[in-house]
């Protein structure tokens, strides 16, 4: 089984201290049904921290997790002190080095946050989220010291500290618990004034046994409260990400939620208490005493054991684990039944709708209806042959198997239309051979349509057809080549006559046969044990299972790399493969072909492990890698806009570099397919624009292609700064991440300011910008940041000198 598809835990809440210096009366740890905190050690021990790190790394390695997310929590985690927090970070990094990237965060009330802690977090790469319920009046309703004193001033001081330029990269956002007695607009405005990178509004924890207050008996006061903020947020152009709103919008588009409390995605979170016991989500503490307990701990149990706990299994079943009322609800894909803990009722346990059901229904439907009422250009049948969710996912820079599969289907439709156009042209020109080949293709389409589609999907079909239709290339029997290859793939015992290309018989996607006879045509016939090629007096028999170079020097089959979940051809045979910017390599010697296979094994393993957002798309859409020739030994790669599913690559020095080139070039392949379906920019624009990675100005299309490809480049270095095995490599990767992040963000700005994008182009590039903006808050060392800024300054100066400042 592919372990990447099996259930796994990737989010870990690590309790480093079990007491708190505030006495918030809405706290689920100390003020609700569960009282287990009384028996926990105040602080986690070094021994438990080491074992926690080992367990997480063990699970990450087993499930090939690209990134592990750990939140240092409490109680109040700052009470654990700097030394214990450093130990936690050091143990996690030790255990996960070379296994997974570590996303390390802390959630705090902020009252103890000072410069010493901030310097520590800057060193350790710990991002900090702060709890604040709004303005002073709103915050003081619940978030006070035990003696009644306000905590507001100290929290504001902490946020001001995080907003200093030096510490701003640490700031993860603000978390606000909703109280409908507070003025929603005043709360939102107070939070927004603090310039947080994001805001998270949380429903107060409640169950059917202890329902939430509903002042005046209003049916959906929490939806009304949130809607007041949504309207203000939306009218201002959505100036800050708001997790609950973004999650509703994403789930309405068919994407995943950003929060456990919405959507149907399996829960992948576990809590580790200060005594090393595993617990389910903390929110369950609000339901009944002992509700989160699993009876397991880090010394006696693995995280796979925890996954097998009935409570955890229930959270992996999507809509199936919901009650009948929820399963029948029209907004279940967005609501997801609400937070699991909020469904609890004595007697029926969690087999109930959320106690906030009316509010969730009102919130989702109001946002849905408001979004539908806003005129927005949407891809129509004549434009984008994809679902709307596909457009949004591709615009963000990604695209899974289903999305890329629909791109591939659209490209196959184009190839089929071009094939029909070529046949019509040959018939109109009284090309007897062309007409006979078309007739054979018509029969094959009726008999073995899937095999014919497989041949037509070969990346170099479209360049051939466009060349024939444009008069730039002789037909050279391309129709017959497709017919013969289809018959071979289907192992049909019929003979197809194929014109030769010089002395070469081309079988697209299958291989070539080199003939040393003076003949213009060859007859190709499939048999039980192989196929036969006859040309003049020459007969060559080729077995189905011959080796990569065949038992005869005449046969050059396409070599196939077979990885876990991905098969890709190493295309060094096709005479039409020279469609890339660089010259293609000749047929690879057996030793070089072996090195390609070994490097692809390493590259694909890295992509699956560290870049899962790209892996499924690559597996679904990248059919061919054509080896290129780099005369100076440099890293060379290219994509041809008309050769869907193919990239050209000169084999680089390492599998890691090959992985980077693969994801980089496949971005070009995806975007070319999108541009076949929809106009993203004015094709009449002949201006040139500043590209932060080049000294020469680029046309708008070239800038768009480069920016889109560099999303993957940035993401690659973003991950490698945590996963590279050597410290020097991680340092170099961090510098690359800082540089490409800055360059790609700047390129997005240039695109959006060009005035050349269509409405869909604005949406597409805007989504690209959201992806890059999401990485801007990730901390990098001052040295890496300074190097990126200096590189940008030097590049801009060189560009202006070359272009005399002429820029758009």
């Amino acid at each position: 089984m592919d372990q990447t598809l099996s259930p796994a835990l990737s989010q870990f809440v690590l309790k480093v201290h079990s007491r708190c210096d505030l006495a918030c009366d809405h706290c689920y740890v100390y003020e609700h049904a569960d009282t287990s905190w009384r028996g926990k050690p105040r602080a986690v021990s070094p021994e438990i921290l080491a074992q926690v790190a080992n367990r997480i790394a063990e699970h990450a390695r087993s499930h090939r997790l690209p990134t592990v997310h750990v939140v240092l929590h409490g109680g109040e985690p700052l009470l654990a002190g700097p030394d214990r927090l450093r130990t936690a970070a050091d143990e996690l990094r030790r255990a996960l080095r070379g296994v997974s990237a570590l996303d390390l965060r802390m959630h705090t009330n902020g009252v103890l946050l000072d410069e010493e802690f901030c310097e520590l977090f800057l060193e350790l790469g710990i991002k900090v989220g702060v709890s604040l319920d709004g303005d002073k009046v709103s915050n003081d309703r619940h978030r006070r010291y035990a003696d009644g004193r306000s905590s507001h001033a100290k929290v504001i001081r902490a946020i001001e500290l995080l907003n200093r330029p030096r510490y701003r990269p640490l700031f993860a956002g603000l978390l606000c618990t909703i109280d409908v007695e507070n003025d929603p607009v005043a709360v939102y405005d107070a939070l927004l004034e603090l310039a947080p990178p994001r805001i998270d509004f949380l429903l107060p924890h409640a169950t059917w046994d202890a329902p939430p207050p509903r002042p005046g008996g209003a049916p959906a006061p929490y939806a009304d409260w949130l809607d007041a903020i949504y309207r203000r947020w939306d009218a201002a152009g959505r100036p800050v990400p708001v997790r609950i709103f973004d999650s509703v919008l994403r789930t309405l588009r068919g994407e995943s939620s950003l929060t456990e409390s919405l959507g149907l995605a399996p829960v992948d979170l576990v809590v580790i208490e200060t005594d090393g016991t595993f617990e389910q989500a903390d929110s369950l503490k609000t339901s009944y005493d002992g509700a989160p307990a699993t009876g397991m701990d880090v010394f006696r149990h693995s995280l796979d054991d925890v996954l097998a706990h009935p409570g955890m299994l229930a959270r992996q079943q999507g809509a199936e684990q919901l009650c009948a009322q929820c399963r029948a609800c029209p907004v279940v894909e967005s609501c997801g039944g609400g937070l699991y803990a909020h469904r609890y009722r004595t007697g029926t346990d969690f087999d109930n709708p959320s106690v906030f059901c009316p509010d969730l229904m009102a919130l989702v439907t109001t946002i849905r209806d408001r979004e539908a009422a806003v005129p927005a250009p949407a891809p129509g049948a004549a434009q984008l042959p994809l679902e709307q969710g596909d457009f949004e996912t591709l615009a963000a820079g990604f695209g899974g198997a289903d999305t890329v599969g629909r791109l591939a289907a659209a490209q196959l439709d184009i190839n089929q239309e071009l094939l029909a156009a070529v046949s019509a042209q040959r018939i109109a020109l009284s090309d007897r051979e062309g007409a006979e080949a078309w007739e054979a293709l018509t029969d094959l389409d009726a008999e073995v349509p899937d095999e014919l589609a497989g041949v037509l999907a070969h990346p170099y079909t479209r360049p051939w057809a466009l060349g024939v239709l444009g008069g730039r290339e002789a037909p050279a029997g391309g129709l017959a080549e497709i017919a013969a290859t289809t018959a071979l793939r289907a192992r049909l015992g019929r003979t197809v006559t194929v014109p030769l290309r010089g002395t070469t018989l081309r079988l697209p996607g299958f291989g070539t046969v080199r003939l040393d006879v003076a003949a213009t045509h060859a007859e190709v016939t499939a048999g039980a044990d192989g196929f036969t090629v006859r040309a003049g007096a020459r007969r060559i028999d080729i077995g189905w299972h011959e080796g990569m170079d065949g038992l005869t020097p005449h046969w050059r089959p396409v070599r196939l790399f077979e990885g876990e979940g991905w098969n890709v051809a190493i295309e060094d045979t096709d005479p039409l493969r020279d469609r890339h910017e660089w010259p293609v390599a000749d047929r690879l010697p057996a030793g070089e072909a072996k090195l390609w296979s070994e490097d692809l094994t390493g590259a694909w393993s890295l992509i699956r492990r560290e870049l899962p957002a790209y892996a499924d798309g690559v597996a679904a859409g990248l059919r061919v890698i054509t080896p290129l020739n780099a005369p100076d030994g440099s890293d060379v790669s290219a994509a041809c806009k008309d050769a869907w599913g193919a990239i050209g690559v000169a084999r680089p020095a390492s599998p890691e570099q090959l992985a980077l080139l693969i994801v980089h070039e496949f971005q070009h392949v995806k975007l070319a397919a999108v541009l076949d379906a929809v106009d993203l920019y004015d094709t009449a624009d002949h201006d040139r624009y500043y590209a932060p990675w080049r000294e020469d100005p680029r046309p708008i299309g070239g800038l768009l292609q480069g920016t889109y490809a560099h999303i993957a480049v940035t993401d690659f270095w973003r991950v490698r700064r945590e996963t590279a095995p050597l410290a020097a490599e991680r340092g170099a990767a961090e510098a690359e991440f800082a540089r490409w992040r800055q360059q790609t963000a700047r390129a997005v700005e240039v695109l959006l300011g060009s005035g050349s994008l269509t409405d869909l182009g604005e949406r597409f590039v805007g989504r690209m910008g959201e992806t890059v903006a999401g990485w801007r808050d990730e901390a990098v060392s001052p040295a890496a940041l300074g190097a990126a800024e200096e590189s940008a300054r030097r590049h801009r100066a060189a560009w202006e000198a070359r272009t005399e400042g002429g820029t758009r």
Side-chain angles (χ1 to χ4, degrees):
M1 176 182 288
D2 185 344
Q3 288 180 307
T4 60
L5 300 179
S6 62
L9 298 164
S10 64
Q11 299 188 66
F12 305 91
V13 175
L14 175 56
K15 299 296 188 74
V16 293
H17 204 279
S18 67
R19 302 296 188 270
C20 190
D21 44 4
L22 293 183
C24 308
D25 59 18
H26 55 19
C27 180
Y28 55 82
V29 176
Y30 307 110
E31 302 295 335
H32 283 257
D34 185 75
T35 60
S36 60
W37 63 272
R38 299 180 187 278
K40 306 294 183 188
R42 286 182 174 269
V44 66
S45 70
E47 293 76 19
I48 288 175
L49 287 174
Q51 183 64 7
V52 167
N54 292 337
R55 285 299 190 194
I56 292 175
E58 171 188 64
H59 190 72
R61 185 179 295 107
S62 173
H63 291 270
R64 301 179 181 178
L65 299 180
T67 304
V68 165
H69 307 272
V70 179
V71 179
L72 304 178
H73 210 282
E76 170 48 49
L78 293 179
L79 289 172
D83 291 344
R84 201 174 304 268
L85 295 176
R86 178 184 292 278
T87 299
D90 287 347
E91 289 290 352
L92 289 165
R93 294 191 187 283
R94 168 195 59 77
L96 288 166
R97 183 163 293 122
V99 178
S100 300
L102 173 63
D103 174 26
L104 187 56
R105 298 177 181 243
M106 169 182 290
H107 192 78
T108 173
N109 60 37
V111 298
L112 294 179
L113 191 67
D114 59 16
E115 290 187 11
E116 180 184 358
F117 275 122
C118 286
E119 287 295 326
L120 177 69
F121 300 156
L122 200 62
E123 176 190 347
L124 300 176
I126 301 176
K127 300 194 73 173
V128 182
V130 180
S131 292
L132 180 69
D133 290 348
D135 57 287
K136 186 176 186 302
V137 171
S138 300
N139 192 71
D140 284 353
R141 278 187 190 275
H142 304 285
R143 304 190 63 78
R144 291 177 171 271
Y145 288 93
D147 60 6
R149 288 179 296 126
S150 170
S151 65
H152 186 263
K154 290 187 176 181
V155 180
I156 295 299
R157 184 201 63 193
I159 295 169
E160 289 173 347
L161 186 62
L162 288 172
N163 270 324
R164 291 184 190 176
R166 177 170 177 78
Y167 303 133
R168 174 70 183 187
L170 301 176
F171 195 7
L174 297 175
L175 184 148
C176 172
T177 300
I178 298 168
D179 185 333
V180 291
E181 295 286 0
N182 290 329
D183 181 337
V185 173
V187 168
Y188 171 70
D189 286 351
L191 298 179
L192 188 64
E193 187 177 352
L194 297 169
R198 59 187 50 83
I199 299 173
D200 198 0
F201 291 108
L202 298 183
L203 293 168
H205 287 312
T207 67
W208 290 101
D209 290 351
R214 297 185 178 277
Y222 296 89
D224 294 341
W225 195 92
L226 284 166
D227 186 56
I229 293 175
Y230 183 90
R231 285 183 278 113
R232 191 171 186 86
W233 175 73
D234 190 47
R238 305 178 180 181
V240 61
V242 177
R243 193 186 305 270
I244 192 168
F245 299 153
D246 290 337
S247 292
V248 171
L249 291 167
R250 285 173 61 89
T251 54
L252 289 172
R253 296 194 299 260
E255 300 175 35
S256 60
S257 172
L258 301 173
T259 172
E260 177 192 0
S261 60
L262 292 169
L264 291 170
V267 173
D268 61 352
L269 176 147
V270 69
V271 177
I272 303 148
E273 286 285 353
T274 54
D275 60 355
T277 54
F278 290 117
E279 292 197 346
Q280 301 174 70
D282 262 356
S283 56
L284 285 169
K285 293 179 182 293
T286 198
S287 51
Y288 61 89
D289 199 10
T294 66
M296 303 182 192
D297 64 70
V298 295
F299 293 103
R300 296 179 299 133
H301 303 91
S302 72
L303 284 160
D304 279 340
D305 293 334
V306 178
L307 267 176
H309 184 275
M312 298 296 292
L313 289 174
R315 314 293 302 282
Q316 306 292 316
Q317 299 170 7
E320 294 181 10
Q321 52 95 16
L322 299 177
C323 68
Q325 179 181 333
C326 288
R327 292 197 301 273
C329 179
V331 301
V332 66
E333 296 289 338
S334 288
C335 166
L339 196 66
Y340 191 69
H342 296 173
R343 305 173 202 164
Y344 182 76
R345 186 199 299 264
T346 301
T348 52
D349 293 337
F350 299 97
D351 191 27
N352 309 287
S354 169
V355 72
F356 291 100
C357 178
D359 302 278
L360 294 172
M361 170 70 83
L363 177 67
V364 173
T365 56
T366 299
I367 292 177
R368 179 198 65 194
D369 295 346
R370 190 172 285 127
E371 288 290 299
V374 176
Q383 291 181 312
L384 189 66
L386 301 171
E387 297 178 2
Q388 179 63 23
D390 292 335
F391 182 82
E392 299 294 336
T393 299
L394 289 164
F398 308 110
D402 291 342
T403 293
V404 173
R406 283 186 280 271
L407 282 182
Q411 292 292 298
L412 178 59
D413 288 345
I414 292 173
N415 285 359
Q416 290 170 329
E417 292 172 3
L418 289 171
L419 187 71
V422 168
S423 68
Q425 181 199 73
R426 305 325 300 164
I427 293 170
L429 294 174
S430 300
D431 181 344
R432 181 180 58 81
E433 287 185 344
E436 290 176 355
W438 177 248
E439 184 177 352
L441 285 170
T442 302
D443 292 341
L444 290 166
D445 190 32
E447 191 171 353
V448 285
D450 291 343
E451 298 296 344
L452 176 58
V455 179
L456 287 181
H458 185 59
Y460 301 119
T461 297
R462 182 173 172 185
W464 159 79
L466 291 172
V468 172
L469 293 171
R472 299 183 302 275
E473 184 173 320
L479 293 170
E481 292 168 348
I482 294 171
T485 307
T486 301
L488 291 181
R489 284 173 57 110
R491 302 194 179 185
L492 298 177
R494 65 181 60 177
T495 298
V496 180
T497 300
V498 184
L500 300 178
R501 296 176 181 268
T503 61
T504 298
L505 169 65
R506 174 181 179 259
L507 300 169
F510 209 68
T512 59
V513 181
R514 299 180 65 186
L515 300 161
D516 55 1
V517 296
T520 59
H521 293 72
E523 293 180 344
V524 182
T525 308
D529 299 321
F531 65 99
T532 299
V533 178
R534 294 181 177 86
R538 164 76 75 175
R539 168 178 170 148
I540 300 174
D541 294 312
I542 302 168
W544 294 123
H545 303 296
E546 289 192 6
M548 295 303 273
D549 288 297
L551 299 180
T552 167
H554 302 282
W555 172 227
R556 291 185 170 181
V558 172
R559 297 177 170 109
L560 186 66
F561 168 76
E562 298 183 7
E564 187 173 355
W566 181 42
N567 294 338
V568 65
I570 304 173
E571 178 58 271
D572 57 357
T573 69
D574 196 324
L576 302 184
R577 70 189 186 279
D578 193 3
R579 304 290 168 165
H580 303 281
E581 180 181 356
W582 298 86
V584 296
D586 293 332
R587 175 69 167 179
L588 301 178
E592 176 67 9
K594 181 180 179 181
L595 292 175
W596 265 98
S597 182
E598 291 172 353
D599 283 359
L600 279 170
T601 298
W604 179 235
S605 176
L606 186 150
I607 292 170
R608 292 178 73 247
R609 183 178 67 251
E610 300 183 11
L611 300 167
Y614 305 90
D616 288 347
V618 169
L622 185 54
R623 296 167 49 91
V624 165
I625 294 178
T626 295
L628 300 180
N629 182 29
D632 59 356
S634 60
D635 289 339
V636 165
S637 62
C640 171
K641 68 182 182 65
D642 293 325
W644 161 261
I647 64 172
V649 178
R651 188 174 64 84
S654 69
E656 292 78 14
Q657 187 67 14
L658 180 57
L660 172 59
L661 296 177
I662 287 171
V663 295
H664 172 192
E665 293 301 338
F666 193 63
Q667 292 289 95
H668 289 303
V669 173
K670 290 187 296 185
L671 182 55
V674 173
L675 290 169
D676 278 337
V678 63
D679 291 329
L680 297 181
Y681 58 87
D682 180 4
T683 55
D685 179 4
H686 300 298
D687 284 338
R688 293 291 188 268
Y689 296 85
Y690 174 64
W693 50 85
R694 295 179 64 132
E695 292 186 4
D696 58 322
R698 301 293 293 153
I700 188 72
L703 180 61
L704 176 61
Q705 280 281 0
T707 309
Y708 191 71
H710 291 148
I711 287 177
V713 173
T714 307
D715 211 359
F716 175 89
W717 293 117
R718 170 178 171 266
V719 174
R720 291 298 291 170
R721 66 192 171 127
E722 298 289 348
T723 60
L726 300 178
E729 293 175 346
R730 293 193 296 276
E734 182 181 50
E736 289 292 318
F737 168 60
R739 179 168 70 93
W740 284 109
R741 177 179 65 177
Q742 181 163 314
Q743 290 181 347
T744 308
R746 177 69 181 115
V748 167
E749 293 173 359
V750 174
L751 286 167
L752 291 174
S754 69
S756 189
L757 299 179
T758 64
D759 288 343
L760 280 176
E762 292 276 356
R763 288 173 56 193
F764 194 92
V765 176
R767 288 283 284 154
M768 289 166 58
E770 289 175 15
T771 296
V772 180
W775 298 331
R776 275 186 160 178
D777 293 330
E778 296 192 11
V780 297
S781 68
L785 191 60
E789 292 171 348
E790 176 61 19
S791 173
R793 187 195 64 77
R794 288 198 309 268
H795 178 272
R796 182 71 186 192
W799 189 90
E800 289 179 349
R802 176 168 179 163
T803 61
E804 297 182 352
T807 176
R808 286 221 35 206

